[in-house]
Amino acid sequence: KGEWQYAIMPNPQGWSLSSADSSKYPLPTEDELYQAGFLPTFVHTGRFIAVFSSLDEAVDVAEKLLF
């Protein structure tokens, strides 16, 4: 019975990183991502989706959130 926390999916602008529940698993804010060296193309203020130009960057952010 595994509960997913984040999903990475293709997006017209690149790759989207989505949270299963932004109240339990919020994504970083746009400022937090920039400070960590990531360059998202979009970050929703509700912290449930962020879009990155590359799959590698989306995976890197997800890994940092999980570990």
Short mmCIF file of all heavy atoms in Angstrom, two decimals:
data_model
loop_
_atom_site.label_atom_id
_atom_site.label_comp_id
_atom_site.label_asym_id
_atom_site.label_seq_id
_atom_site.Cartn_x
_atom_site.Cartn_y
_atom_site.Cartn_z
N LYS A 1 0.86 -1.18 0.00
CA LYS A 1 0.00 0.00 0.00
C LYS A 1 0.89 1.23 0.00
O LYS A 1 1.13 1.85 1.03
CB LYS A 1 -0.92 -0.06 1.22
CG LYS A 1 -1.69 1.19 1.45
CD LYS A 1 -2.42 1.12 2.78
CE LYS A 1 -2.46 2.51 3.33
NZ LYS A 1 -3.02 2.71 4.56
N GLY A 2 1.41 1.58 -1.13
CA GLY A 2 2.27 2.75 -1.21
C GLY A 2 1.49 3.99 -1.59
O GLY A 2 0.68 3.97 -2.51
N GLU A 3 1.72 5.03 -0.86
CA GLU A 3 1.09 6.32 -1.17
C GLU A 3 2.10 7.18 -1.91
O GLU A 3 3.22 7.34 -1.45
CB GLU A 3 0.67 7.00 0.13
CG GLU A 3 0.04 8.35 -0.11
CD GLU A 3 -0.37 9.03 1.19
OE1 GLU A 3 -0.91 8.35 2.09
OE2 GLU A 3 -0.13 10.23 1.31
N TRP A 4 1.72 7.70 -3.03
CA TRP A 4 2.65 8.55 -3.78
C TRP A 4 2.59 9.97 -3.23
O TRP A 4 1.56 10.43 -2.76
CB TRP A 4 2.37 8.49 -5.27
CG TRP A 4 1.07 9.08 -5.73
CD1 TRP A 4 -0.15 8.46 -5.73
CD2 TRP A 4 0.85 10.38 -6.26
NE1 TRP A 4 -1.11 9.29 -6.23
CE2 TRP A 4 -0.53 10.49 -6.56
CE3 TRP A 4 1.67 11.47 -6.52
CZ2 TRP A 4 -1.09 11.64 -7.11
CZ3 TRP A 4 1.10 12.61 -7.06
CH2 TRP A 4 -0.25 12.69 -7.34
N GLN A 5 3.73 10.61 -3.25
CA GLN A 5 3.83 11.99 -2.77
C GLN A 5 4.00 12.96 -3.93
O GLN A 5 3.45 14.05 -3.91
CB GLN A 5 5.01 12.12 -1.81
CG GLN A 5 4.83 11.30 -0.56
CD GLN A 5 6.09 11.30 0.30
OE1 GLN A 5 7.07 11.98 0.02
NE2 GLN A 5 6.06 10.53 1.36
N TYR A 6 4.77 12.56 -4.94
CA TYR A 6 5.06 13.43 -6.08
C TYR A 6 5.00 12.62 -7.37
O TYR A 6 5.30 11.43 -7.37
CB TYR A 6 6.46 14.06 -5.94
CG TYR A 6 6.63 14.81 -4.65
CD1 TYR A 6 7.32 14.25 -3.59
CD2 TYR A 6 6.07 16.07 -4.47
CE1 TYR A 6 7.46 14.92 -2.38
CE2 TYR A 6 6.20 16.75 -3.28
CZ TYR A 6 6.89 16.17 -2.23
OH TYR A 6 7.01 16.83 -1.05
N ALA A 7 4.65 13.29 -8.43
CA ALA A 7 4.63 12.66 -9.75
C ALA A 7 5.31 13.60 -10.75
O ALA A 7 5.17 14.82 -10.64
CB ALA A 7 3.20 12.38 -10.19
N ILE A 8 6.00 13.01 -11.70
CA ILE A 8 6.64 13.78 -12.77
C ILE A 8 5.99 13.33 -14.07
O ILE A 8 5.91 12.12 -14.35
CB ILE A 8 8.15 13.54 -12.81
CG1 ILE A 8 8.79 14.04 -11.51
CG2 ILE A 8 8.78 14.23 -14.01
CD1 ILE A 8 10.24 13.68 -11.34
N MET A 9 5.52 14.31 -14.85
CA MET A 9 4.82 14.00 -16.09
C MET A 9 5.25 14.96 -17.19
O MET A 9 5.62 16.10 -16.90
CB MET A 9 3.31 14.15 -15.88
CG MET A 9 2.74 13.20 -14.84
SD MET A 9 1.05 13.62 -14.39
CE MET A 9 1.34 14.98 -13.28
N PRO A 10 5.19 14.50 -18.44
CA PRO A 10 5.48 15.42 -19.54
C PRO A 10 4.48 16.57 -19.54
O PRO A 10 3.32 16.41 -19.13
CB PRO A 10 5.30 14.56 -20.80
CG PRO A 10 5.22 13.16 -20.34
CD PRO A 10 4.84 13.18 -18.91
N ASN A 11 4.94 17.72 -19.96
CA ASN A 11 4.14 18.93 -19.99
C ASN A 11 4.50 19.67 -21.28
O ASN A 11 5.65 19.58 -21.72
CB ASN A 11 4.50 19.76 -18.74
CG ASN A 11 3.78 21.07 -18.65
OD1 ASN A 11 4.06 21.99 -19.42
ND2 ASN A 11 2.88 21.17 -17.72
N PRO A 12 3.59 20.40 -21.90
CA PRO A 12 3.94 21.13 -23.13
C PRO A 12 5.15 22.06 -22.97
O PRO A 12 5.87 22.32 -23.92
CB PRO A 12 2.68 21.93 -23.44
CG PRO A 12 1.58 21.15 -22.83
CD PRO A 12 2.18 20.55 -21.58
N GLN A 13 5.41 22.54 -21.75
CA GLN A 13 6.55 23.42 -21.50
C GLN A 13 7.78 22.67 -20.98
O GLN A 13 8.78 23.29 -20.63
CB GLN A 13 6.18 24.52 -20.50
CG GLN A 13 5.28 25.60 -21.06
CD GLN A 13 3.83 25.15 -21.15
OE1 GLN A 13 3.33 24.45 -20.29
NE2 GLN A 13 3.16 25.53 -22.23
N GLY A 14 7.70 21.36 -20.85
CA GLY A 14 8.82 20.58 -20.33
C GLY A 14 8.33 19.40 -19.52
O GLY A 14 7.69 18.50 -20.03
N TRP A 15 8.61 19.45 -18.21
CA TRP A 15 8.23 18.38 -17.30
C TRP A 15 7.61 18.97 -16.04
O TRP A 15 8.18 19.87 -15.43
CB TRP A 15 9.46 17.55 -16.92
CG TRP A 15 9.99 16.81 -18.09
CD1 TRP A 15 10.89 17.27 -19.01
CD2 TRP A 15 9.59 15.51 -18.52
NE1 TRP A 15 11.08 16.31 -19.98
CE2 TRP A 15 10.30 15.23 -19.70
CE3 TRP A 15 8.71 14.56 -18.02
CZ2 TRP A 15 10.16 14.04 -20.38
CZ3 TRP A 15 8.58 13.37 -18.70
CH2 TRP A 15 9.29 13.11 -19.86
N SER A 16 6.44 18.46 -15.65
CA SER A 16 5.78 18.97 -14.46
C SER A 16 6.03 18.05 -13.28
O SER A 16 6.04 16.83 -13.42
CB SER A 16 4.28 19.15 -14.69
OG SER A 16 3.66 17.91 -14.93
N LEU A 17 6.26 18.66 -12.15
CA LEU A 17 6.39 17.97 -10.88
C LEU A 17 5.14 18.34 -10.09
O LEU A 17 4.90 19.52 -9.84
CB LEU A 17 7.66 18.41 -10.15
CG LEU A 17 7.85 17.93 -8.71
CD1 LEU A 17 7.90 16.41 -8.64
CD2 LEU A 17 9.11 18.55 -8.12
N SER A 18 4.35 17.32 -9.73
CA SER A 18 3.09 17.57 -9.03
C SER A 18 3.10 16.91 -7.67
O SER A 18 3.65 15.82 -7.50
CB SER A 18 1.92 17.00 -9.84
OG SER A 18 1.86 17.56 -11.11
N SER A 19 2.46 17.55 -6.73
CA SER A 19 2.31 17.02 -5.38
C SER A 19 0.97 16.30 -5.27
O SER A 19 -0.05 16.78 -5.78
CB SER A 19 2.37 18.15 -4.36
OG SER A 19 2.02 17.68 -3.08
N ALA A 20 0.95 15.16 -4.59
CA ALA A 20 -0.29 14.43 -4.37
C ALA A 20 -1.22 15.23 -3.47
O ALA A 20 -2.44 15.16 -3.62
CB ALA A 20 0.00 13.07 -3.73
N ASP A 21 -0.66 16.00 -2.56
CA ASP A 21 -1.44 16.78 -1.60
C ASP A 21 -0.55 17.93 -1.12
O ASP A 21 0.37 17.71 -0.33
CB ASP A 21 -1.85 15.90 -0.42
CG ASP A 21 -2.69 16.61 0.62
OD1 ASP A 21 -2.73 17.86 0.64
OD2 ASP A 21 -3.32 15.91 1.44
N SER A 22 -0.82 19.12 -1.61
CA SER A 22 0.07 20.25 -1.29
C SER A 22 0.04 20.66 0.18
O SER A 22 0.95 21.32 0.64
CB SER A 22 -0.24 21.44 -2.18
OG SER A 22 -1.55 21.91 -1.96
N SER A 23 -0.99 20.25 0.92
CA SER A 23 -0.97 20.57 2.35
C SER A 23 -0.04 19.62 3.12
O SER A 23 0.56 20.00 4.11
CB SER A 23 -2.38 20.53 2.94
OG SER A 23 -2.93 19.23 2.84
N LYS A 24 0.09 18.38 2.63
CA LYS A 24 1.00 17.41 3.26
C LYS A 24 2.38 17.43 2.63
O LYS A 24 3.39 17.22 3.32
CB LYS A 24 0.43 15.99 3.14
CG LYS A 24 -0.74 15.72 4.06
CD LYS A 24 -1.40 14.39 3.76
CE LYS A 24 -0.56 13.21 4.14
NZ LYS A 24 -1.29 11.92 3.98
N TYR A 25 2.44 17.62 1.32
CA TYR A 25 3.69 17.54 0.57
C TYR A 25 3.84 18.77 -0.33
O TYR A 25 3.82 18.67 -1.56
CB TYR A 25 3.73 16.28 -0.31
CG TYR A 25 3.32 15.02 0.41
CD1 TYR A 25 2.15 14.35 0.07
CD2 TYR A 25 4.10 14.49 1.42
CE1 TYR A 25 1.76 13.19 0.72
CE2 TYR A 25 3.73 13.33 2.08
CZ TYR A 25 2.56 12.69 1.73
OH TYR A 25 2.19 11.54 2.37
N PRO A 26 3.98 19.95 0.25
CA PRO A 26 4.08 21.15 -0.59
C PRO A 26 5.39 21.19 -1.36
O PRO A 26 6.43 20.76 -0.87
CB PRO A 26 4.02 22.29 0.43
CG PRO A 26 4.56 21.70 1.69
CD PRO A 26 4.11 20.25 1.67
N LEU A 27 5.30 21.68 -2.58
CA LEU A 27 6.52 21.91 -3.36
C LEU A 27 7.18 23.19 -2.86
O LEU A 27 6.53 24.04 -2.24
CB LEU A 27 6.16 22.06 -4.84
CG LEU A 27 5.55 20.84 -5.51
CD1 LEU A 27 5.22 21.15 -6.96
CD2 LEU A 27 6.48 19.65 -5.42
N PRO A 28 8.46 23.34 -3.10
CA PRO A 28 9.13 24.59 -2.70
C PRO A 28 8.53 25.78 -3.45
O PRO A 28 7.98 25.63 -4.54
CB PRO A 28 10.58 24.36 -3.13
CG PRO A 28 10.72 22.89 -3.31
CD PRO A 28 9.38 22.39 -3.72
N THR A 29 8.67 26.94 -2.87
CA THR A 29 8.23 28.16 -3.54
C THR A 29 9.20 28.46 -4.69
O THR A 29 10.30 27.90 -4.76
CB THR A 29 8.22 29.36 -2.58
OG1 THR A 29 9.57 29.62 -2.17
CG2 THR A 29 7.33 29.13 -1.38
N GLU A 30 8.80 29.37 -5.55
CA GLU A 30 9.68 29.76 -6.66
C GLU A 30 11.00 30.31 -6.13
O GLU A 30 12.07 29.96 -6.63
CB GLU A 30 8.97 30.80 -7.53
CG GLU A 30 9.71 31.13 -8.80
CD GLU A 30 8.90 31.99 -9.74
OE1 GLU A 30 7.88 32.57 -9.32
OE2 GLU A 30 9.30 32.08 -10.90
N ASP A 31 10.94 31.14 -5.09
CA ASP A 31 12.17 31.70 -4.51
C ASP A 31 13.06 30.60 -3.93
O ASP A 31 14.28 30.64 -4.09
CB ASP A 31 11.84 32.72 -3.41
CG ASP A 31 11.34 34.04 -3.97
OD1 ASP A 31 11.55 34.30 -5.17
OD2 ASP A 31 10.74 34.81 -3.20
N GLU A 32 12.46 29.63 -3.23
CA GLU A 32 13.25 28.53 -2.66
C GLU A 32 13.93 27.71 -3.77
O GLU A 32 15.08 27.30 -3.61
CB GLU A 32 12.35 27.61 -1.82
CG GLU A 32 11.88 28.26 -0.54
CD GLU A 32 10.81 27.46 0.18
OE1 GLU A 32 10.11 26.65 -0.46
OE2 GLU A 32 10.65 27.68 1.40
N LEU A 33 13.22 27.50 -4.87
CA LEU A 33 13.82 26.76 -5.99
C LEU A 33 14.98 27.53 -6.59
O LEU A 33 16.04 26.97 -6.84
CB LEU A 33 12.76 26.45 -7.04
CG LEU A 33 11.74 25.38 -6.64
CD1 LEU A 33 10.57 25.37 -7.60
CD2 LEU A 33 12.41 24.01 -6.59
N TYR A 34 14.80 28.84 -6.81
CA TYR A 34 15.89 29.66 -7.35
C TYR A 34 17.09 29.66 -6.42
O TYR A 34 18.23 29.55 -6.87
CB TYR A 34 15.42 31.09 -7.60
CG TYR A 34 14.55 31.26 -8.82
CD1 TYR A 34 13.41 32.06 -8.77
CD2 TYR A 34 14.84 30.65 -10.04
CE1 TYR A 34 12.59 32.23 -9.88
CE2 TYR A 34 14.04 30.82 -11.16
CZ TYR A 34 12.93 31.61 -11.07
OH TYR A 34 12.13 31.76 -12.17
N GLN A 35 16.84 29.79 -5.11
CA GLN A 35 17.94 29.81 -4.15
C GLN A 35 18.69 28.48 -4.13
O GLN A 35 19.89 28.45 -3.86
CB GLN A 35 17.42 30.14 -2.75
CG GLN A 35 16.99 31.57 -2.62
CD GLN A 35 16.31 31.86 -1.28
OE1 GLN A 35 16.20 31.00 -0.42
NE2 GLN A 35 15.85 33.09 -1.11
N ALA A 36 18.00 27.38 -4.44
CA ALA A 36 18.63 26.06 -4.48
C ALA A 36 19.30 25.78 -5.83
O ALA A 36 19.87 24.71 -6.04
CB ALA A 36 17.60 24.98 -4.18
N GLY A 37 19.22 26.74 -6.75
CA GLY A 37 19.89 26.60 -8.03
C GLY A 37 19.03 26.03 -9.15
O GLY A 37 19.56 25.71 -10.21
N PHE A 38 17.74 25.89 -8.92
CA PHE A 38 16.85 25.37 -9.94
C PHE A 38 16.19 26.52 -10.70
O PHE A 38 16.00 27.60 -10.15
CB PHE A 38 15.76 24.48 -9.32
CG PHE A 38 16.33 23.25 -8.66
CD1 PHE A 38 16.40 23.17 -7.28
CD2 PHE A 38 16.81 22.19 -9.41
CE1 PHE A 38 16.92 22.06 -6.65
CE2 PHE A 38 17.34 21.08 -8.80
CZ PHE A 38 17.39 21.00 -7.42
N LEU A 39 15.86 26.27 -11.96
CA LEU A 39 15.25 27.30 -12.80
C LEU A 39 13.91 26.83 -13.35
O LEU A 39 13.81 26.43 -14.51
CB LEU A 39 16.19 27.66 -13.95
CG LEU A 39 17.56 28.20 -13.55
CD1 LEU A 39 18.45 28.34 -14.76
CD2 LEU A 39 17.40 29.53 -12.82
N PRO A 40 12.87 26.85 -12.51
CA PRO A 40 11.56 26.41 -13.00
C PRO A 40 11.01 27.39 -14.03
O PRO A 40 11.31 28.58 -13.99
CB PRO A 40 10.71 26.40 -11.73
CG PRO A 40 11.34 27.43 -10.86
CD PRO A 40 12.81 27.34 -11.14
N THR A 41 10.22 26.87 -14.96
CA THR A 41 9.57 27.74 -15.93
C THR A 41 8.22 28.21 -15.40
O THR A 41 7.68 29.21 -15.87
CB THR A 41 9.39 27.04 -17.28
OG1 THR A 41 8.64 25.84 -17.09
CG2 THR A 41 10.73 26.71 -17.90
N PHE A 42 7.68 27.49 -14.39
CA PHE A 42 6.41 27.87 -13.77
C PHE A 42 6.33 27.22 -12.40
O PHE A 42 6.71 26.06 -12.23
CB PHE A 42 5.23 27.38 -14.62
CG PHE A 42 3.89 27.55 -13.95
CD1 PHE A 42 3.27 28.79 -13.94
CD2 PHE A 42 3.26 26.49 -13.34
CE1 PHE A 42 2.04 28.96 -13.31
CE2 PHE A 42 2.03 26.65 -12.71
CZ PHE A 42 1.43 27.89 -12.71
N VAL A 43 5.84 27.97 -11.42
CA VAL A 43 5.56 27.42 -10.09
C VAL A 43 4.22 28.01 -9.64
O VAL A 43 4.07 29.23 -9.56
CB VAL A 43 6.65 27.80 -9.06
CG1 VAL A 43 6.31 27.23 -7.69
CG2 VAL A 43 8.01 27.33 -9.52
N HIS A 44 3.26 27.14 -9.36
CA HIS A 44 1.97 27.62 -8.90
C HIS A 44 2.08 28.05 -7.44
O HIS A 44 2.75 27.39 -6.65
CB HIS A 44 0.91 26.52 -9.03
CG HIS A 44 -0.48 27.04 -8.89
ND1 HIS A 44 -1.06 27.30 -7.68
CD2 HIS A 44 -1.39 27.37 -9.83
CE1 HIS A 44 -2.28 27.76 -7.87
NE2 HIS A 44 -2.50 27.82 -9.18
N THR A 45 1.44 29.15 -7.10
CA THR A 45 1.51 29.65 -5.72
C THR A 45 0.87 28.69 -4.73
O THR A 45 1.17 28.74 -3.55
CB THR A 45 0.85 31.04 -5.59
OG1 THR A 45 -0.49 30.95 -6.05
CG2 THR A 45 1.62 32.08 -6.39
N GLY A 46 0.00 27.79 -5.21
CA GLY A 46 -0.61 26.79 -4.34
C GLY A 46 0.35 25.66 -3.98
O GLY A 46 0.01 24.79 -3.18
N ARG A 47 1.55 25.68 -4.58
CA ARG A 47 2.63 24.74 -4.29
C ARG A 47 2.27 23.29 -4.60
O ARG A 47 2.76 22.36 -3.98
CB ARG A 47 3.11 24.90 -2.85
CG ARG A 47 3.66 26.31 -2.62
CD ARG A 47 4.06 26.56 -1.21
NE ARG A 47 5.29 25.80 -0.92
CZ ARG A 47 5.89 25.85 0.25
NH1 ARG A 47 5.43 26.60 1.20
NH2 ARG A 47 6.98 25.14 0.46
N PHE A 48 1.40 23.08 -5.62
CA PHE A 48 1.05 21.72 -6.01
C PHE A 48 1.61 21.32 -7.36
O PHE A 48 1.61 20.15 -7.71
CB PHE A 48 -0.47 21.51 -6.00
CG PHE A 48 -1.21 22.33 -7.03
CD1 PHE A 48 -1.44 21.82 -8.30
CD2 PHE A 48 -1.69 23.59 -6.72
CE1 PHE A 48 -2.12 22.57 -9.25
CE2 PHE A 48 -2.37 24.34 -7.66
CZ PHE A 48 -2.58 23.82 -8.93
N ILE A 49 2.13 22.30 -8.13
CA ILE A 49 2.74 21.97 -9.41
C ILE A 49 3.85 22.96 -9.74
O ILE A 49 3.73 24.15 -9.44
CB ILE A 49 1.69 21.93 -10.55
CG1 ILE A 49 2.32 21.36 -11.83
CG2 ILE A 49 1.06 23.28 -10.78
CD1 ILE A 49 1.32 21.03 -12.91
N ALA A 50 4.90 22.42 -10.33
CA ALA A 50 6.00 23.24 -10.84
C ALA A 50 6.43 22.62 -12.16
O ALA A 50 6.35 21.40 -12.33
CB ALA A 50 7.17 23.26 -9.86
N VAL A 51 6.86 23.44 -13.09
CA VAL A 51 7.27 22.96 -14.40
C VAL A 51 8.74 23.31 -14.62
O VAL A 51 9.17 24.43 -14.31
CB VAL A 51 6.39 23.58 -15.52
CG1 VAL A 51 6.85 23.09 -16.89
CG2 VAL A 51 4.92 23.24 -15.29
N PHE A 52 9.47 22.34 -15.15
CA PHE A 52 10.89 22.50 -15.43
C PHE A 52 11.14 22.17 -16.89
O PHE A 52 10.44 21.35 -17.48
CB PHE A 52 11.71 21.57 -14.53
CG PHE A 52 11.50 21.83 -13.07
CD1 PHE A 52 10.50 21.18 -12.37
CD2 PHE A 52 12.28 22.75 -12.41
CE1 PHE A 52 10.28 21.44 -11.03
CE2 PHE A 52 12.07 23.02 -11.06
CZ PHE A 52 11.07 22.37 -10.38
N SER A 53 12.17 22.76 -17.46
CA SER A 53 12.45 22.52 -18.88
C SER A 53 13.05 21.14 -19.11
O SER A 53 12.91 20.58 -20.19
CB SER A 53 13.37 23.61 -19.44
OG SER A 53 14.58 23.63 -18.72
N SER A 54 13.69 20.57 -18.10
CA SER A 54 14.30 19.25 -18.30
C SER A 54 13.79 18.23 -17.29
O SER A 54 13.45 18.58 -16.14
CB SER A 54 15.83 19.34 -18.19
OG SER A 54 16.23 19.47 -16.85
N LEU A 55 13.76 16.98 -17.72
CA LEU A 55 13.37 15.89 -16.83
C LEU A 55 14.36 15.77 -15.68
O LEU A 55 13.96 15.55 -14.53
CB LEU A 55 13.31 14.57 -17.63
CG LEU A 55 13.04 13.31 -16.83
CD1 LEU A 55 11.72 13.39 -16.09
CD2 LEU A 55 13.07 12.10 -17.75
N ASP A 56 15.65 15.93 -15.97
CA ASP A 56 16.67 15.81 -14.92
C ASP A 56 16.42 16.80 -13.79
O ASP A 56 16.58 16.45 -12.61
CB ASP A 56 18.07 16.04 -15.49
CG ASP A 56 18.54 14.87 -16.35
OD1 ASP A 56 17.99 13.76 -16.23
OD2 ASP A 56 19.47 15.08 -17.14
N GLU A 57 16.05 18.02 -14.13
CA GLU A 57 15.82 19.02 -13.08
C GLU A 57 14.59 18.65 -12.25
O GLU A 57 14.62 18.75 -11.02
CB GLU A 57 15.66 20.40 -13.70
CG GLU A 57 15.76 21.50 -12.68
CD GLU A 57 15.92 22.88 -13.29
OE1 GLU A 57 15.41 23.12 -14.40
OE2 GLU A 57 16.56 23.71 -12.63
N ALA A 58 13.52 18.19 -12.88
CA ALA A 58 12.32 17.78 -12.14
C ALA A 58 12.65 16.62 -11.21
O ALA A 58 12.22 16.60 -10.04
CB ALA A 58 11.21 17.39 -13.12
N VAL A 59 13.43 15.66 -11.68
CA VAL A 59 13.82 14.51 -10.86
C VAL A 59 14.71 14.98 -9.70
O VAL A 59 14.53 14.52 -8.56
CB VAL A 59 14.54 13.44 -11.71
CG1 VAL A 59 15.18 12.37 -10.83
CG2 VAL A 59 13.55 12.81 -12.69
N ASP A 60 15.64 15.88 -9.94
CA ASP A 60 16.51 16.39 -8.88
C ASP A 60 15.70 17.04 -7.76
O ASP A 60 15.97 16.81 -6.58
CB ASP A 60 17.52 17.40 -9.42
CG ASP A 60 18.64 16.75 -10.22
OD1 ASP A 60 18.79 15.51 -10.19
OD2 ASP A 60 19.37 17.50 -10.90
N VAL A 61 14.72 17.85 -8.13
CA VAL A 61 13.88 18.50 -7.11
C VAL A 61 13.10 17.44 -6.33
O VAL A 61 13.07 17.48 -5.10
CB VAL A 61 12.94 19.53 -7.75
CG1 VAL A 61 11.95 20.07 -6.72
CG2 VAL A 61 13.73 20.68 -8.36
N ALA A 62 12.50 16.48 -7.03
CA ALA A 62 11.73 15.43 -6.35
C ALA A 62 12.61 14.64 -5.39
O ALA A 62 12.19 14.35 -4.26
CB ALA A 62 11.08 14.52 -7.38
N GLU A 63 13.81 14.29 -5.83
CA GLU A 63 14.72 13.53 -4.96
C GLU A 63 15.06 14.33 -3.71
O GLU A 63 15.12 13.78 -2.61
CB GLU A 63 15.99 13.15 -5.71
CG GLU A 63 15.76 12.04 -6.70
CD GLU A 63 17.00 11.68 -7.50
OE1 GLU A 63 17.95 12.51 -7.55
OE2 GLU A 63 17.00 10.58 -8.08
N LYS A 64 15.29 15.62 -3.84
CA LYS A 64 15.61 16.44 -2.67
C LYS A 64 14.41 16.52 -1.71
O LYS A 64 14.59 16.60 -0.49
CB LYS A 64 16.05 17.83 -3.10
CG LYS A 64 17.45 17.80 -3.70
CD LYS A 64 17.96 19.15 -4.07
CE LYS A 64 19.33 19.20 -4.66
NZ LYS A 64 20.05 18.03 -4.97
N LEU A 65 13.21 16.49 -2.24
CA LEU A 65 12.02 16.52 -1.39
C LEU A 65 11.83 15.19 -0.65
O LEU A 65 11.30 15.17 0.46
CB LEU A 65 10.78 16.83 -2.22
CG LEU A 65 10.71 18.25 -2.80
CD1 LEU A 65 9.61 18.32 -3.84
CD2 LEU A 65 10.46 19.24 -1.67
N LEU A 66 12.22 14.11 -1.26
CA LEU A 66 12.00 12.77 -0.68
C LEU A 66 13.11 12.35 0.29
O LEU A 66 12.88 11.53 1.16
CB LEU A 66 11.89 11.72 -1.80
CG LEU A 66 10.64 11.84 -2.65
CD1 LEU A 66 10.74 10.92 -3.86
CD2 LEU A 66 9.41 11.51 -1.84
N PHE A 67 14.32 12.88 0.12
CA PHE A 67 15.44 12.40 0.94
C PHE A 67 16.05 13.49 1.75
O PHE A 67 16.05 14.54 1.79
CB PHE A 67 16.51 11.76 0.06
CG PHE A 67 15.98 10.60 -0.72
CD1 PHE A 67 15.75 10.70 -2.08
CD2 PHE A 67 15.68 9.41 -0.09
CE1 PHE A 67 15.25 9.63 -2.80
CE2 PHE A 67 15.18 8.33 -0.81
CZ PHE A 67 14.97 8.45 -2.16
#
